[in-house]
Amino acid sequence: KAGFFSQRAQSEMLDQTVIEAMVPDLAVLRTAYLIERDFAEFYEMSAGKVKDETTKKALEMLARWGHLLAGVTWIGLLYYFNFVQGEYFKEATPDAKSDAVKKLAPRALWWFRYAALLTFITGVLILGIQGHMRQGVGNWSFWIVIGALLGTLMFLNVWLIIWPNQKVVCGIVPGDAAAAGPKALLASRTNVLFSGPMLFLMGAASHLPGKTISMASPAAIGIVLAVIALLELNAIKGKLWPPMATIKGVIHCSLAFAVALWAVMHYLG
């Protein structure tokens, strides 16, 4: 039976050159996972052995600082691509757009994808330092579980959808740029949609009262997960909905989604 990535390559009719070009990215993700796992275990054990609360807080603060620095870079570039560069490309001359696609976009995409990777790794480190890995997901805040889920999906969208298709658009690897562009745009707009609720929930975990995931109602959990799953499936195989096609529309959608998640988690949870 063909694996996931083989099926994906066949379904998109990618040639062998493009598949080979994807291998370094998969190796990066695997290495990142191993580093993240080792560091999470190391930090969790270190924090557990440290009796001084000040030292524990210092370890957590370092991880949180890295998380914020990487997150600001990642989300800032996400908004740059969607709100600035995309609109510029609509008005740019063919020569100017071609030059930007070949020289500017690849540089911005490098910072974009590695900032996403570092954000994910430092987020896991924070959970490890706080002891969440040892406690189990059932003891996590409902807010942080859904916020972390959205952040993880955004991270995966960057590395498994946006970047592979943008490599085709930028001419880094051969392929159908006309088909790759809309796929990257859909995943990118979905990340903008997810970003508002994700940031709200991350803040709510520290500043709003809430239940642990084990104490939340099954109805609230089911509704939230079902909606997120449908939106992510659309990002993978669906189409760009008209409200998300414009800057104003996707911002409004993101804010409305944040309010809707809060309402379900607060009143039903």
Side-chain angles (χ1 to χ4, degrees):
K1 185 177 178 180
F4 169 78
F5 292 104
S6 297
Q7 292 176 353
R8 180 174 178 273
Q10 292 171 5
S11 68
E12 296 183 12
M13 295 182 291
L14 298 176
D15 60 29
Q16 185 63 29
T17 302
V18 179
I19 297 174
E20 290 173 352
M22 292 173 62
V23 171
D25 294 334
L26 299 179
V28 168
L29 288 177
R30 181 177 181 277
T31 301
Y33 165 73
L34 294 174
I35 293 173
E36 164 266 313
R37 185 189 64 183
D38 291 342
F39 269 90
E41 292 175 353
F42 168 76
Y43 269 89
E44 186 171 2
M45 288 188 296
S46 298
K49 293 177 180 178
V50 174
K51 296 181 180 180
D52 183 4
E53 287 299 320
T54 301
T55 305
K56 282 187 178 182
K57 289 294 183 182
L59 286 172
E60 182 180 343
M61 183 58 205
L62 285 174
R64 196 175 295 276
W65 181 44
H67 191 61
L68 289 172
L69 285 175
V72 167
T73 304
W74 175 21
I75 301 302
L77 283 168
L78 172 68
Y79 293 160
Y80 161 76
F81 285 128
N82 281 272
F83 303 158
V84 180
Q85 181 175 284
E87 295 304 300
Y88 164 73
F89 281 171
K90 294 177 183 178
E91 303 174 1
T93 63
D95 288 343
K97 180 179 178 181
S98 176
D99 187 64
V101 167
K102 292 178 181 178
K103 299 176 182 177
L104 173 64
R107 288 180 171 86
L109 285 165
W110 189 94
W111 286 100
F112 176 65
R113 67 183 185 275
Y114 281 105
L117 181 62
L118 185 57
T119 303
F120 177 75
I121 291 174
T122 51
V124 174
L125 291 181
I126 293 171
L127 294 176
I129 294 170
Q130 293 177 337
H132 288 307
M133 299 300 186
R134 185 171 57 252
Q135 295 171 1
V137 177
N139 292 315
W140 296 13
S141 160
F142 194 9
W143 303 119
I144 201 67
V145 169
I146 303 304
L149 172 62
L150 290 172
T152 300
L153 290 174
M154 291 171 63
F155 160 69
L156 293 174
N157 285 342
V158 168
W159 278 90
L160 300 181
I161 303 177
I162 297 173
W163 172 233
N165 283 290
Q166 284 290 4
K167 285 196 291 186
V168 176
V169 173
C170 294
I172 298 171
V173 297
D176 186 353
K183 292 178 183 178
L185 176 62
L186 175 57
S188 188
R189 285 298 166 94
T190 300
N191 274 11
V192 174
L193 175 67
F194 284 171
S195 67
M198 181 270 294
L199 292 169
F200 172 81
L201 293 172
M202 292 297 183
S206 299
H207 300 286
L208 289 180
K211 299 178 179 178
T212 61
I213 190 69
S214 60
M215 297 297 293
S217 74
I221 296 172
I223 291 171
V224 169
L225 292 181
V227 172
I228 292 173
L230 288 173
L231 291 171
E232 180 60 22
L233 286 173
N234 182 71
I236 297 171
K237 289 292 184 181
K239 61 182 180 179
L240 186 64
W241 298 331
M244 292 173 59
T246 66
I247 293 176
K248 186 185 219 179
V250 74
I251 291 175
H252 287 169
C253 286
S254 183
L255 295 176
F257 188 31
V259 172
L261 285 183
W262 169 81
V264 171
M265 295 170 71
H266 179 74
Y267 291 108
L268 296 183

